[in-house]
Amino acid sequence: MVHVLSSRTLLRPTDPDRSRAFYGGQLGLAVHREFGTGPERGTVYFLGGGFLEVSGRAEAPPSPGLRLWLQVADAAEAYEELTGRGVEVPRPPVREPWGLIEMWLQDPDGVEIVVVEVPADHPLRFRP
């Protein structure tokens, strides 16, 4: 097995400045590091146990199969914070049949972002 020391998701947006404004400004993700210069410079954001790198530029949006899963402590609080920052949230927090509370939104290129709360009574909170 490969021993992975760190990981990050690489995102090549169609408009890097717009995507940085979304991830850093509207979502409020903290910056881990920045590199390079100019509009296609790289910005790496903290994502809990991983990272999201927004760098370079793509001619077309990422594949519709790409989704980001972000776990938060309180989905309702995240909803209020994000909508207060002007983020459009097409699907507010809902408790799913599998027990997680999920809210769905999209980045400027249409990348789906699932914001998830694991409730206190969910099996993911318990270890056998």
Side-chain angles (χ1 to χ4, degrees), residues 62-126:
S63 162
L66 173 67
R67 289 184 174 86
L68 298 177
W69 193 91
L70 308 178
Q71 183 179 344
V72 298
D74 186 323
E77 183 178 293
Y79 174 77
E80 293 300 324
E81 185 176 331
L82 292 173
T83 56
R85 290 184 186 161
V87 175
E88 184 179 329
V89 180
R91 188 170 178 276
V94 171
R95 187 162 189 149
E96 300 291 353
W98 47 89
L100 297 175
I101 299 170
E102 297 184 5
M103 134 174 92
W104 302 345
L105 53 125
Q106 295 181 339
D107 86 350
D109 278 330
V111 173
E112 289 193 20
I113 301 170
V114 182
V115 178
V116 178
E117 174 186 339
V118 180
D121 63 345
H122 193 278
L124 286 175
R125 296 270 186 177
F126 302 99

